[in-house]
Amino acid sequence: MNAILTGQVFYSYQHELLERDSFADIGAHFSGIKPFHKHAGEIALSDDKLFISGDENLQIPLASIEQIYLGFDEAFPRTLVKNFGVFWQPLRLSLSNGNKLYLIIDYNMLGANNQLWFDGLRELLSE
């Protein structure tokens, strides 16, 4: 695999976000707390697949990505992010199997690299 981008990822499926309790919304605003996520690992982007390894191992063909979206929605609201999303927004992938993944890539206390990954995915998907 020839990786175009690599990084660390926190992620959740849409149903996991919708099933969270109210403590997750409150906890997101304390210093030192990572953003809400259910899974973590490493992520790599090749010219035809997205690879995630960690507590789950996923290989997502780019052809199965129906939509990419950078921003907040009803499943991942601004309340789940410190400073209500001023510095970063989640990256959502809608897949042909009906799953929606919400990614937070290369998170640090100041932000995430989701914009870089959004741009890279958008470019590859438009080819």
Side-chain angles (χ1 to χ4, degrees), residues 1-9 42-52 62 68 91 103 105-106 113-124:
M1 173 192 67
N2 186 18
I4 298 168
L5 291 170
T6 61
Q8 299 295 313
V9 65
E42 296 180 10
I43 188 167
L45 176 63
S46 74
D47 59 355
D48 66 340
K49 286 185 184 171
L50 189 65
F51 298 90
I52 298 176
L62 296 186
I68 58 172
L91 175 59
L103 309 173
I105 303 170
D106 292 332
N113 277 337
N114 288 357
Q115 182 69 54
L116 173 71
W117 283 75
F118 175 79
D119 294 340
L121 282 165
R122 186 177 58 189
E123 185 177 322
L124 284 173

Side-chain angles (χ1 to χ4, degrees), residues 9-114:
V9 65
F10 296 132
Y11 67 99
S12 299
Y13 293 92
Q14 183 178 43
H15 69 89
E16 294 169 331
L17 286 159
L18 293 172
E19 293 167 354
R20 73 184 185 279
D21 58 29
S22 58
F23 292 112
D25 292 353
I26 296 167
H29 298 280
F30 289 100
S31 293
I33 303 293
K34 295 175 182 167
F36 181 85
H37 65 284
K38 288 290 188 175
H39 308 279
E42 296 180 10
I43 188 167
L45 176 63
S46 74
D47 59 355
D48 66 340
K49 286 185 184 171
L50 189 65
F51 298 90
I52 298 176
S53 61
D55 59 342
E56 288 188 326
N57 292 313
L58 303 175
Q59 289 188 27
I60 302 169
L62 296 186
S64 72
I65 299 175
E66 294 182 342
Q67 182 187 48
I68 58 172
Y69 177 75
L70 186 64
F72 299 97
D73 62 13
E74 67 285 340
F76 200 118
R78 290 180 183 276
T79 56
L80 280 181
V81 177
K82 279 184 190 61
N83 300 319
F84 298 98
V86 171
F87 300 109
W88 67 271
Q89 300 173 353
L91 175 59
R92 183 183 73 209
L93 304 179
S94 298
L95 307 177
S96 59
N97 65 6
N99 283 332
K100 290 184 181 177
L101 285 175
Y102 291 78
L103 309 173
I104 306 162
I105 303 170
D106 292 332
Y107 175 79
N108 60 49
M109 293 301 184
L110 300 176
N113 277 337
N114 288 357

